[in-house]
Amino acid sequence: MGIEDAPSGFLLTTVENFAGYMRKASLWPVTFGLACCAIEMMAAGTSRFDISRFGMEVFRASPRQADLMIVAGRVSQKMAPVVRQVYDQMAEPKWVISMGVCASSGGMFNNYAIVQGVDHVVPVDIYLPGCPPRPEMLLNAILTLHDQIQAEPLGVNREEAARAAEAAALEATPTSDMKGLLR
Amino acid sequence: MADDDITRRDQAGEVGAPRPAAEYESLLPGKSGLGEILAPAAGFGVTFASMFKPTVTEQYPYEKVPTKPRYHGRHQLNRHPDGLEKCIGCELCAWACPADAIYVEGADNTPDAQFSPGERYGRVYQINYLRCIFCGLCIEACPTRALTMTNDYELAGPTRRGMIYEKQDLLAPLGDGMLAAPHPMVPGTEDDDYYRGDVAGPVPEQIDWVAQWRPEDESLAALRPAGHEQSEAR
Amino acid sequence: MTTTTPKTGTSGSTPAPADQVTFTIDDVEVAVPKGTLVIRAAEQIGIQIPRFCDHPLLAPVGACRQCLVEVAAPDREGNVRPMPKPQASCTLEATPGMVVKTQRSSAVADKAQHGVLELLLINHPLDCPTCDKGGECPLQNQAMSNGRGTSRFHDVKRTFPKPIAISTQILLDRDRCVLCQRCTRFSEEIAGDPFIDLQQRGVKQQIGIFDPGVLGFAGSEPAEVYRGVQPDGTPISAATGLPSTDPADPAGPAGMATVDTSGRPFASYFSGNTVQICPVGALTSAAYRFRSRPFDLVSTPGIAEHDSNGAAIRVDHRRGVVLRRLAGDDPAVNEEWISDKDRFGFPWQGLADRLTAPMVREPGADGTRGELRPASWAEAFEAAAEGLAAARAAGGVGVLPGGRLTMEDAYAYGKFARVALGTNDVDHRARPASAEEEAFLGHHVAGSRMSVTFADLEHAPTVLLVAFEAEDEGGITFLRLRKGVQGGRTKVFSVAPFASRGLERLDGTLVQAVPGTEPEVLDAVGTSSESSVSAVAEALGPEAVILVGERLATVPGGLSAVLRLAERTGARLAWIPRRAGERGGVELGTLPTLLPGGRPVADPQARVDVGAAWDVERLPAEPGRDAEQILAAARSGELGGLVVGGLDPADLPDPAGARAALEAVGFLVSLEVRASAVTELADVVLPVAPPVEKAGTFLNWEGRPRPFPQALTSTSMADHRVLDALADAMDVQLGLATTTEVHAEIDQLGGWDGGRVAAPAAAAVEPPALGAGQAVLATWHLLLDAGRCQEGEAFLAGTSQRPVARVSATHADRLGIASGQGITVRTPRGQVTLPVAVTPMADGVVWLPTNSVGSAVRRTLGVDAGAVVEVAAASTVTTATTAADDGGTL
């Protein structure tokens, strides 16, 4: 029984907090630079921005030792299976940041060669705009992800949250029917 | 290039790198004696020396180092001094956008709902920040200087949908003495007068109009303290 | 330069034909027919001369002076002498030996064009960011290509209040106007609705009505300015000086409008064309105002679905929403013009009552019929197949496809009825029809494609209109007729109760006929010596064309008389229905007595022919019931079920009876685009695609195939695909799932050179005798009325004619009413009250619009043209705004 299967009870919130704190403070990104955004990602590791202040100094070369994938750069159709394989090889729990507009939506490359958003391939937790985003923006995205990890429910709570999210998604208007102010 | 200049693998016959002309020889003069013995430790000298230099690390989330003033950050839709929107919904920004990140729909300004000077205003204004490459071509295209860029860069978010900023997310907050749109233009002015900067702020007629039709409007409170029926904002 | 320069040797040895003119443009020798304008000749060799006022379909006027070129022409001695000043190439006919230098080779012409453009731009406002024309504006483009980089004009520009609304649909912004007069020339030359003209002089010269406010007369009010629309799309205020209803002519636009040059409130069915040909943004449409930019729009060619002309249009859409439609350019059919209904009548396809999912009826637990609920396609097909099988066993199933189908869909309905349901009970005519008409269609119309074309109308010396109102029921057919009339080639006669405004603009001659007496009048042609009839007899010859409208089906013996007349005079005969799918239905076999290609059901060889193509053993041999009989049989329980397409019971001659039939029938399948009166009674509802969401082919009244592609991405399916899947669920293979398959099968079937249906020979009936207070009803549809396909467009509705009843002066005197006062037309079913317009027409006749707001003749009165109705002065003066709820289709 792993920590994911923790039983419900009054202790669980404390456990959640603790586990969240541990997890967020030791995120290890996998080295996964695809294009120009990777340069900014590397810059985030330099002493000026110093990503190690958040316990993330080790960009692991092996997905098995990493729990955060920063998809930095446009994902070409050819690269998509590789992205997915690296993601699959990462151990749970794992998170994905889609860095830059090309990874997030294809950006200005609205063409046949580029996957129009890496979320077609892997589930994305945080989208980060910018072309490329400056290192502060990446740090901001990572901190946003930290908050999300800190607040992540476990065990039964997690199941409940997942169910609620699924029910909400079923009820929601399909994206294609969302009109907003458009007429 | 002659065959001799390139290496050739024996088995596969692949073409490899050019053959080095001669054996490698360092241009630096070699160390001798004590220098050679201490060489492995010399690098620590650099380390020690840098301990006494000022630290370069920016403490980003705690201390934000300002960007350069012309940094391309999040967009902003500006307002005229009297609070009317500068955007006229002309879609030139959308036309200029190389990433197709901007969606605009115009609509008629009516006497009941005048959002910008002139006939037309931007009814729908969306920027998809997951497409925008912050190139600033939209800013150059804007004929009324309605669209400008701020230095704000903290934009990350968990959903794609949330990264599409609507008009209310992009509109500049009301400045000092501005009156929230919609309200009529300054009486006797044309849209040209607004573009030339001849309008300095809301006039009593506009304030009265808002007071009549939207008495609960928050921007009214600053312009028209309770108990005063005339404003002196002009 | 890619044009070929004729070799000197060849041009010298073979002189141009006598009517050819050879001259040079920019050192390129060009030979054109005599009378060709220089600007056209330049186009032919690929030289673009900038222009604003020039339009190939309008008479040259030389108003904008933008097309100046340097010209030299030979004098009497043959010396080529330059003209002293640059000439406007749009008014200059080419003469032999002329030497033309455009801006490409002449600094003088280039400087002149720059100068003219600078002059035009002096008072042109910097509206481009807000102007609807921005991005597709000839002025904008030519300011870039032929204009100066900067303006030297530093004074205050002349401004006007803007924009003013000419009608609810057309807005005029005089600031932007460059006075090219394309709009005024179109209105005068093409449509015959002159509404605006030049007024004032010098810098104040402007387009407008003869406006006392503009001209500065004492005590006159300035023009009021258009103030936009409310959020729901209704105009806040519109017009400049709408006169109160003119007692002499209460008809006029329903919405606000300016007065035209004749002093009437302006209402033209063709006003939208001025918006399209305006080379600047001076005329814009209210519906499209500020909606989009040209670079947002995706354009797809299309075919207008509102009438049987098959006008080419361009559908402009953005993000899956059609935002506007423009006229396409098809010289053979609509030239470059379309009616406002074709242009603006598109929102119906996307209204909130669109059916998106199939529905099946869940029987109530208490044995009631229950409620419709959304279902999957598979479930709906299963339910429909089961129900239809049971209904077929219980007496048979009738098919009513409706008159708006594409060729492909009509073919599928015909095949579905005969193969899957084993019946000939299929009739697409959702309107008053008769067995005589069916025989007429089988005898004369089916298989006679392109026997009369639009070009024939323009060149025929005589056109006789029978039960056909060219403007209201013909749309652009009217424009073609008018072109012939304007050209002095065509003379128009019309057999009608009175001369409508459309006929007046055709300079037409009225051959007066009380409804029901048309056969008598037609038979009198050539035999009677009465002046009006004998004039027709003289004019009708082998070159002449007779246009007969679908309304003649309501007159017993009418179509037989027309056939006799055509045979007697040798004139060609064309049948013009109102709906887009009628001709296709006739050709593709959705009539009880006709198989595809005009093959008679009664002909065994025809049945074998079709059966072989359809790969079935035998086809039902006995002719089926027509629409009326199908509904009667459904009402009496003889038929077990109905398959109903796009059809509104209100359009049928007896709406109440039709509704009763739909209620009584055991099983009802409805294929509809939008929820209708049939939907709420149906057992299974299968949604189908509107024309914009499917590809298909309309057959226009000429019989010309008008294919159009799918404009919008959609999950909706065309009727033929739904019917194919439905047949599949009934274990019948139709093989009509794609348009390719349908076309292949139609091609394989080919034409039919066997016998046709025999000509009808119905006898005319004596007109009924009129008692006191009675009158004969005359009625037809106005172009813009309360039809379902015009819903959702308030601006267009504002330009429709106010419904009025028309009676003759003596009749009005007898009733004791004057123009503008109320008149009540009554039958045992109900009554219609409208303001009356006294019109020169036959005594004892009252005319009502068939389906306008407040005048739903079939639904309220339950009768049609030729019936005897009670007429009386209305007890109270009413406006025509009662019973505005649901109307009929189209």
Side-chain angles (χ1 to χ4, degrees):
Chain A
M1 191 177 89
I3 196 164
E4 298 292 339
D5 306 323
S8 177
F10 68 95
L11 274 179
L12 185 53
T13 38
T14 318
V15 174
E16 269 174 8
N17 273 336
F18 184 68
Y21 182 74
M22 291 300 171
R23 281 173 172 179
K24 79 165 194 185
S26 62
L27 271 184
W28 286 0
V30 63
T31 314
F32 209 78
L34 289 171
C36 11
C37 283
I39 304 297
E40 300 292 311
M41 182 171 74
M42 290 174 222
T46 58
S47 47
R48 180 167 164 204
F49 302 101
D50 199 9
I51 203 170
S52 59
R53 289 180 293 142
F54 310 105
M56 299 176 66
E57 63 272 36
V58 240
F59 274 88
R60 302 311 312 208
S62 160
R64 300 204 191 282
Q65 296 149 11
D67 48 10
L68 170 65
M69 182 155 79
I70 303 176
V71 185
R74 82 285 177 283
V75 183
S76 63
Q77 301 282 5
K78 248 187 169 175
M79 200 63 189
V82 183
V83 174
R84 180 71 212 190
Q85 183 161 10
V86 170
Y87 177 78
D88 285 343
Q89 286 169 341
M90 285 161 60
E92 288 277 5
K94 54 195 173 185
W95 295 274
V96 177
I97 290 179
S98 164
M99 181 180 179
V101 292
C102 305
S104 301
S105 75
M108 66 179 299
F109 301 111
N110 191 354
N111 62 34
Y112 67 92
I114 302 296
V115 176
Q116 295 298 300
V118 72
D119 50 5
H120 290 274
V121 183
V122 293
V124 173
D125 295 280
I126 296 290
Y127 296 90
L128 172 58
C131 185
R134 55 193 284 137
E136 283 105 324
M137 293 172 81
L138 178 60
L139 294 185
N140 174 246
I142 288 168
L143 291 172
T144 317
L145 180 64
H146 281 181
D147 291 348
Q148 199 173 305
I149 295 169
Q150 172 73 68
E152 209 159 85
L154 289 177
V156 243
N157 292 357
R158 188 189 172 99
E159 274 169 34
E160 263 168 37
R163 267 197 208 97
E166 194 175 347
L170 283 173
E171 285 298 309
T173 325
T175 329
S176 57
D177 291 353
M178 286 179 184
K179 290 260 173 181
L181 276 170
L182 314 183
R183 57 181 174 183
Chain B
M1 196 182 276
D3 255 7
D4 299 346
D5 295 341
I6 50 173
T7 57
R8 185 174 290 279
R9 290 191 193 172
D10 294 338
Q11 287 168 355
E14 292 163 7
V15 175
R19 191 191 304 273
E23 284 300 308
Y24 171 75
E25 214 173 290
S26 174
L27 292 175
L28 292 173
K31 288 202 163 60
S32 61
L34 195 61
E36 194 168 357
I37 295 167
L38 287 179
F44 291 112
V46 177
T47 311
F48 275 112
S50 59
M51 287 173 72
F52 302 100
K53 287 182 182 163
T55 160
V56 297
T57 305
E58 293 170 6
Q59 301 297 324
Y60 157 64
Y62 317 109
E63 293 164 30
K64 288 174 186 166
V65 181
T67 63
K68 290 278 178 278
R70 289 169 64 181
Y71 173 74
H72 286 186
R74 186 176 65 78
H75 298 79
Q76 173 170 289
L77 285 170
N78 298 311
R79 295 173 188 270
H80 288 290
D82 68 350
L84 285 179
E85 294 160 11
K86 283 188 174 177
C87 176
I88 52 171
C90 71
E91 303 191 23
L92 284 183
C93 45
W95 171 78
C97 182
D100 208 5
I102 308 185
Y103 181 89
V104 188
E105 267 189 30
D108 253 321
N109 276 319
T110 63
D112 296 344
Q114 177 102 30
F115 288 92
S116 70
E119 295 174 66
R120 179 170 176 155
Y121 77 101
R123 193 180 63 89
V124 178
Y125 199 102
Q126 296 179 341
I127 296 183
N128 182 351
Y129 278 106
L130 292 188
R131 287 263 176 216
C132 174
I133 58 170
F134 299 90
C135 62
L137 288 180
C138 43
I139 310 306
E140 287 183 35
C142 185
T144 61
R145 301 294 287 155
L147 192 65
T148 52
M149 280 172 147
T150 64
N151 291 344
D152 175 18
Y153 53 76
E154 291 178 339
L155 292 166
T159 60
R160 267 197 182 207
R161 202 180 165 213
M163 301 312 296
I164 299 175
Y165 280 47
E166 295 271 359
K167 187 173 160 188
Q168 68 270 16
D169 308 322
L170 295 166
L171 260 181
L174 287 167
D176 280 343
M178 284 187 187
L179 189 61
H183 57 71
M185 291 160 67
V186 173
T189 58
E190 293 283 326
D191 43 353
D192 285 0
D193 300 316
Y194 277 82
Y195 304 143
R196 289 201 195 91
D198 294 346
V199 174
V203 294
E205 286 92 334
Q206 292 173 307
I207 296 167
D208 292 345
W209 190 92
V210 175
Q212 185 186 348
W213 296 102
R214 296 200 311 275
E216 73 291 349
D217 196 289
E218 283 170 17
S219 64
L220 204 57
L223 288 165
R224 191 180 206 186
H228 286 242
E229 55 273 15
Q230 283 298 322
S231 161
E232 300 150 345
R234 179 95 200 238
Chain C
M1 197 66 225
T2 54
T3 47
T4 52
T5 312
K7 293 189 194 80
T8 46
T10 49
S11 67
S13 57
T14 50
D19 55 346
Q20 293 282 101
V21 173
T22 308
F23 71 114
T24 55
I25 303 177
D26 288 348
D27 301 327
V28 180
E29 197 167 273
V30 54
V32 293
K34 193 170 184 323
T36 304
L37 300 172
V38 170
I39 199 168
R40 292 283 110 69
E43 276 169 11
Q44 282 181 19
I45 57 170
I47 294 174
Q48 166 85 10
I49 300 173
R51 85 287 302 268
F52 297 114
C53 69
D54 172 69
H55 192 282
L57 296 174
L58 300 175
V61 65
C64 72
R65 316 307 291 175
Q66 183 58 52
C67 60
L68 293 177
V69 291
E70 201 185 349
V71 182
D75 62 7
R76 269 176 228 163
E77 283 81 45
N79 304 319
V80 176
R81 302 173 79 93
M83 293 191 187
K85 286 183 177 174
Q87 300 293 309
S89 59
C90 72
T91 52
L92 187 68
E93 281 186 14
T95 56
M98 192 184 250
V99 177
V100 175
K101 286 184 183 300
T102 70
Q103 74 280 5
R104 298 160 60 100
S105 62
S106 157
V108 174
D110 196 43
K111 180 160 184 282
Q113 290 176 5
H114 275 77
V116 170
L117 198 59
E118 193 180 8
L119 184 73
L120 291 179
L121 289 175
I122 278 182
N123 278 319
H124 193 80
L126 260 176
D127 271 356
C128 302
T130 51
C131 175
D132 272 336
K133 202 81 175 180
E136 54 180 3
C137 176
L139 182 62
Q140 211 177 25
N141 295 342
Q142 290 174 31
M144 298 295 285
S145 62
N146 301 73
R148 299 171 58 89
T150 52
S151 173
R152 293 179 291 178
F153 182 76
H154 293 297
D155 290 313
V156 178
K157 291 185 186 237
R158 171 212 60 192
T159 53
F160 293 113
K162 61 186 203 174
I164 55 175
I166 292 168
S167 66
T168 51
Q169 185 66 268
I170 309 294
L171 307 178
L172 169 64
D173 193 324
R174 290 165 293 173
D175 278 359
R176 299 174 187 157
C177 178
V178 295
L179 301 175
C180 73
Q181 303 176 56
R182 274 188 180 184
C183 50
T184 57
R185 281 146 67 213
F186 170 83
S187 320
E188 209 169 294
E189 294 169 18
I190 308 289
D193 285 316
F195 63 107
I196 40 181
D197 212 335
L198 290 179
Q199 52 183 3
Q200 286 276 31
R201 285 290 174 269
V203 72
K204 286 184 181 170
Q205 192 171 45
Q206 59 188 277
I207 291 284
I209 55 171
F210 183 75
D211 190 340
V214 169
L215 297 172
F217 292 168
S220 54
E221 299 274 323
E224 197 191 318
V225 179
Y226 176 79
R227 301 313 301 260
V229 292
Q230 286 167 350
D232 63 350
T234 52
I236 287 179
S237 74
T240 64
L242 177 82
S244 56
T245 312
D246 178 9
D249 183 14
M256 304 287 263
T258 55
V259 290
D260 66 12
T261 51
S262 69
R264 267 173 102 256
F266 171 64
S268 172
Y269 291 151
F270 307 101
S271 56
N273 291 305
T274 59
V275 174
Q276 189 173 349
I277 59 175
C278 181
V280 295
L283 287 162
T284 52
S285 90
Y288 180 65
R289 186 168 159 89
F290 302 158
R291 290 299 302 277
S292 177
R293 288 279 174 201
F295 52 80
D296 299 321
L297 297 172
V298 181
S299 299
T300 315
I303 297 296
E305 79 278 22
H306 286 294
D307 56 27
S308 64
N309 293 311
I313 53 170
R314 192 180 108 188
V315 182
D316 282 355
H317 46 100
R318 178 188 197 183
R319 295 204 172 196
V321 180
V322 178
L323 286 181
R324 68 171 177 183
R325 303 208 298 201
L326 298 177
D329 181 7
D330 192 337
V333 178
N334 59 319
E335 300 192 307
E336 291 178 35
W337 320 122
I338 54 174
S339 66
D340 282 3
K341 190 173 171 182
D342 290 344
R343 183 179 301 269
F344 299 118
F346 56 81
W348 69 273
Q349 305 175 108
L351 288 183
D353 58 359
R354 257 294 291 278
L355 299 168
T356 50
M359 293 193 283
V360 296
R361 194 169 287 280
E362 187 77 39
D366 49 352
T368 53
R369 293 192 66 211
E371 293 296 320
L372 283 173
R373 62 164 174 81
S376 70
W377 277 102
E379 186 188 359
F381 282 140
E382 203 52 47
E386 266 174 38
L388 287 178
R392 196 182 164 182
V397 181
V399 182
L400 297 170
R404 282 182 274 129
L405 297 177
T406 62
M407 223 172 86
E408 292 82 0
D409 294 340
Y411 181 76
Y413 271 105
K415 188 173 178 183
F416 181 79
R418 271 129 191 162
V419 178
L421 301 175
T423 174
N424 278 319
D425 293 345
V426 52
D427 191 350
H428 67 260
R429 295 172 298 171
R431 56 183 170 82
S434 65
E436 181 192 1
E437 188 197 26
E438 209 177 307
F440 170 80
L441 296 177
H443 176 74
H444 180 79
V445 176
S448 69
R449 287 197 190 173
M450 308 283 288
S451 55
V452 178
T453 63
F454 276 104
D456 293 341
L457 299 187
E458 192 185 313
H459 296 292
T462 309
V463 176
L464 174 65
L465 312 175
V466 184
F468 178 66
E469 194 46 52
E471 191 182 18
D472 278 317
E473 296 172 297
I476 54 157
T477 308
F478 169 80
L479 295 186
R480 265 309 174 86
L481 281 173
R482 193 163 190 278
K483 191 179 177 191
V485 171
Q486 291 289 98
R489 296 181 291 267
T490 309
K491 182 97 185 83
V492 176
F493 295 90
S494 174
V495 178
F498 66 91
S500 65
R501 197 166 158 268
L503 186 64
E504 281 166 16
R505 278 148 60 209
L506 289 172
D507 285 335
T509 311
L510 177 71
V511 182
Q512 205 166 56
V514 174
T517 63
E518 285 93 344
E520 200 181 308
V521 173
L522 293 172
D523 282 337
V525 172
T527 54
S528 160
S529 58
E530 201 214 319
S531 63
S532 66
V533 176
S534 63
V536 180
E538 275 169 33
L540 279 183
E543 290 295 301
V545 171
I546 303 174
L547 297 182
V548 50
E550 64 176 30
R551 274 189 283 129
L552 201 58
T554 59
V555 181
L559 288 162
S560 314
V562 164
L563 277 175
R564 281 196 299 275
L565 177 66
E567 206 168 312
R568 203 159 65 233
T569 59
R572 286 175 296 166
L573 175 59
W575 175 72
I576 305 192
R578 285 180 61 250
R579 295 202 179 105
E582 296 261 359
R583 182 65 194 261
V586 173
E587 294 289 343
L588 277 307
T590 47
L591 284 176
T593 51
L594 282 184
L595 292 168
R599 295 169 173 81
V601 164
D603 187 333
Q605 184 56 44
R607 289 203 304 277
V608 170
D609 206 13
V610 175
W614 287 353
D615 198 19
V616 288
E617 280 292 305
R618 54 175 294 279
L619 290 172
E622 63 287 357
R625 303 170 173 94
D626 68 15
E628 278 302 281
Q629 292 163 340
I630 288 173
L631 287 168
R635 201 157 47 233
S636 69
E638 247 177 275
L639 279 179
L642 283 177
V643 176
V644 179
L647 165 146
D648 194 318
D651 285 336
L652 295 161
D654 180 9
R659 207 183 149 82
L662 295 174
E663 275 166 9
V665 76
F667 190 73
L668 179 59
V669 179
S670 168
L671 284 78
E672 255 291 19
V673 176
R674 291 166 57 200
S676 71
V678 183
T679 308
E680 60 206 40
L681 300 172
D683 293 292
V684 177
V685 178
L686 303 171
V688 292
V692 78
E693 290 174 23
K694 67 183 177 190
T697 310
F698 284 123
L699 270 191
N700 72 354
W701 64 258
E702 303 168 287
R704 189 193 297 270
R706 306 292 287 156
F708 59 92
Q710 182 171 345
L712 302 182
T713 319
S714 168
T715 51
S716 305
M717 299 195 278
D719 298 50
H720 66 82
R721 205 175 143 196
V722 172
L723 287 173
D724 177 79
L726 175 56
D728 212 31
M730 298 166 75
D731 292 330
V732 178
Q733 305 300 321
L734 288 189
L736 301 178
T738 64
T739 46
T740 324
E741 281 175 284
V742 181
H743 291 165
E745 201 171 299
I746 294 174
D747 288 348
Q748 188 203 344
L749 201 51
W752 170 248
D753 46 12
R756 300 277 170 200
V757 176
V765 295
E766 273 299 301
L770 294 180
Q774 287 187 327
V776 177
L777 178 68
T779 179
W780 57 74
H781 287 85
L782 297 177
L783 186 76
L784 300 176
D785 58 9
R788 288 201 79 203
C789 288
Q790 295 158 57
E791 283 172 12
E793 182 44 285
F795 299 107
L796 180 64
T799 66
S800 65
Q801 302 278 341
R802 268 195 299 266
V804 287
R806 292 182 188 276
V807 293
S808 69
T810 48
H811 198 159
D813 282 348
R814 207 158 57 235
L815 293 168
I817 51 175
S819 265
Q821 290 178 317
I823 188 172
T824 300
V825 179
R826 189 180 288 115
T827 63
R829 247 345 138 66
Q831 65 176 38
V832 168
T833 302
L834 287 180
V836 72
V838 174
T839 311
M841 61 195 289
D843 244 4
V845 178
V846 59
W847 177 87
L848 296 175
T850 306
N851 183 31
S852 290
V853 175
S855 174
V857 168
R858 288 175 198 153
R859 195 156 40 91
T860 321
L861 303 181
V863 294
D864 217 301
V868 174
V869 291
E870 308 272 335
V871 179
S875 46
T876 52
V877 178
T878 54
T879 51
T881 49
T882 50
D885 49 352
D886 56 327
T889 48
L890 265 181

